[in-house]
């Protein structure tokens, strides 16, 4: 009798160990979790949620165009997504170390980044613009010469200004996120912010008391396209690219765009890039 109980005990222990092992294997190498019950994997999506209206904090929730877009894309592909705010520089570190499945953060697709990450089809058309006080004499990027310009570190905004006035030029103030760059402008510590058009336009419009205006310079600031960024060699990318195509085609993209920008997007420009 006693030995049967003992044996039973050992068997139960063993079962416990085996079950525990199974539990561990449900976390994949890229950090996402398998939700076996729902039959869907939850993807770990990293972002820098300080870039309204694309990704920003509303209370303790991350909201924005990018968030709605990625939720639509992963749903189309049969996944779930957990969008996590990690910050701009850390986002790229996570992708490089394959700790995240993908990043969405208004990330411009460019040759330099393509060497380290894989990108989806372009999903958003953008360009840098200049945010200045309403009474500023600045009318083009050239006018920023010898003026203090605030940018988010490691962005194409920084690159665009450096291209004009040289790397390490002492008038360039670099910040960890774009909100800090705008704060610097508002407190008089900078004469301008250079960042993505939709971001500065929405900010100027939603904060009229700050008395800001946006200057366009299509001669000096190139057209850019945002993409989803993946670790190099990601097997998920081709899968999600199909979903991106669908979302662009079936009206979902237009709906999300309209919700955030109040008008219809130029989808053909995006499709041309596929
Ligand atoms: N589009 C620019 C770039 O890729 C800026 C993106 C910044 N995104 C953000 N969430 N702060 O460099």
């Amino acid at each position: 009798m006693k030995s049967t109980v003992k044996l039973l005990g050992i068997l139960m222990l063993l079962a416990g160990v085996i079950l525990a092992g199974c539990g561990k294997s449900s976390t994949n190498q890229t950090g996402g979790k398998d939700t076996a019950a729902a039959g869907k994997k939850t993807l770990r999506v990293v972002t820098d949620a300080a870039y309204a209206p694309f990704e920003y904090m509303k209370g303790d929730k991350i909201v924005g165009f990018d968030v709605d877009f990625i939720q639509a894309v992963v749903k189309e592909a049969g996944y779930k997504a957990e969008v996590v705010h990690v910050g701009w520089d850390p986002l790229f570190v996570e992708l490089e170390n394959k700790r995240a499945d993908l990043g969405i953060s208004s990330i411009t697709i460019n040759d330099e980044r393509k060497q380290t990450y894989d990108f989806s089809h372009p999903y958003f058309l953008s360009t840098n613009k200049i945010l200045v006080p309403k009474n500023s004499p600045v009318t083009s990027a050239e006018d920023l010469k010898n003026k203090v310009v605030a940018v988010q570190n490691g962005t194409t905004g920084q690159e665009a200004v450096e291209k004009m006035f040289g790397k390490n030029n002492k008038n360039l103030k670099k910040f960890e996120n774009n909100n800090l760059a705008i704060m610097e402008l508002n407190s008089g510590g900078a004469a301008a912010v250079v960042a993505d058009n939709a971001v500065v336009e929405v900010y100027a419009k939603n904060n009229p008391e700050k008395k800001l205006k946006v200057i366009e310079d299509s001669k000096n600031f190139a057209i850019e396209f945002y993409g989803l960024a993946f670790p190099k060699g990601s097997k998920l990318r081709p899968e999600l690219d199909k979903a991106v195509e669908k979302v662009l085609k079936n009206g979902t993209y237009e709906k999300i765009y309209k919700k955030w920008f109040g008008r219809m997007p130029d989808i053909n420009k995006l499709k041309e890039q596929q």
Side-chain angles (χ1 to χ4, degrees):
M1 181 66 190
K2 249 192 185 162
S3 60
T4 333
V5 172
K6 235 188 193 167
L7 192 69
L8 214 78
I10 290 168
L11 279 174
M12 278 168 76
L13 257 175
L14 263 173
V17 169
I18 290 165
L19 278 176
C22 287
K24 272 207 190 102
S25 68
S26 73
T27 303
N28 65 24
Q29 314 106 307
T30 53
K33 283 179 216 84
D34 282 324
T35 35
K40 282 183 179 176
K41 194 182 139 191
T42 299
L43 303 174
R44 178 175 170 82
V45 180
V46 285
T47 194
D48 169 34
Y51 216 57
F54 294 100
E55 43 268 329
Y56 62 101
M57 302 304 301
K58 197 172 177 189
D60 58 2
K61 271 190 79 187
I62 306 173
V63 296
F65 173 88
D66 276 356
V67 179
D68 287 355
F69 175 68
I70 194 61
Q71 291 296 359
V73 168
V74 300
K75 192 171 163 215
E76 180 64 48
Y79 291 97
K80 286 188 173 173
E82 191 193 357
V83 181
V84 213
H85 166 73
V86 295
W88 182 246
D89 292 336
L91 168 176
F92 291 102
V93 177
E94 284 217 19
L95 291 176
E96 229 179 310
N97 299 337
K98 299 187 168 34
R99 269 188 282 134
D101 294 294
L102 71 143
I104 187 164
S105 209
S106 319
I107 305 171
T108 298
I109 306 169
N110 63 25
D111 287 342
E112 195 193 333
R113 289 175 184 162
K114 273 196 209 159
Q115 292 178 8
T116 321
Y117 315 97
D118 285 348
F119 283 93
S120 69
H121 292 313
Y123 72 88
F124 201 91
L125 180 68
S126 175
T127 186
N128 276 289
K129 284 193 183 174
I130 309 163
L131 183 67
V132 288
K134 272 208 170 115
N135 59 9
S136 165
V138 169
T139 60
S140 74
E142 275 116 23
D143 293 340
L144 295 175
K145 196 175 165 75
N146 297 324
K147 289 203 163 59
V148 176
V149 179
V151 293
Q152 180 180 13
N153 188 47
T155 59
T156 54
Q158 173 186 345
E159 214 179 279
V161 177
E162 283 181 340
K163 210 167 142 196
M164 299 196 64
F165 308 118
K167 272 201 171 169
N168 308 320
N169 87 77
K170 57 175 190 342
N171 283 323
L172 189 60
K173 283 192 181 172
K174 295 171 265 180
F175 294 87
E176 193 186 316
N177 71 55
N178 199 59
N179 292 340
L180 294 173
I182 294 178
M183 275 169 66
E184 189 71 5
L185 171 68
N186 286 334
S187 66
V193 166
V194 173
D196 292 353
N197 61 320
V199 171
V200 291
E201 275 155 7
V202 166
Y203 184 86
K205 186 168 162 246
N206 290 350
N207 300 275
E209 77 285 358
K210 305 283 191 224
K211 297 192 170 62
L212 299 170
K213 64 180 176 186
V214 174
I215 307 294
E216 184 180 342
D217 187 339
S218 52
K219 200 179 101 205
N220 288 299
F221 296 154
I223 290 234
E224 302 181 10
F225 290 97
Y226 297 165
L228 308 174
F230 296 84
K232 240 278 117 341
S234 160
K235 294 203 176 65
L236 185 66
R237 188 198 54 79
E239 250 184 275
L240 287 202
D241 252 349
K242 283 204 193 91
V244 168
E245 282 170 34
K246 276 248 176 74
V247 166
L248 279 172
K249 225 184 264 168
N250 68 11
T252 310
Y253 182 87
E254 270 132 323
K255 222 160 119 195
I256 298 171
Y257 194 101
K258 186 113 200 283
K259 168 180 167 191
W260 288 99
F261 299 104
R263 57 188 164 84
M264 292 304 252
D266 185 350
I267 297 239
N268 289 332
K269 260 237 165 74
L270 289 174
K271 286 193 187 148
E272 275 166 26
Q273 301 293 318
Q274 283 181 15

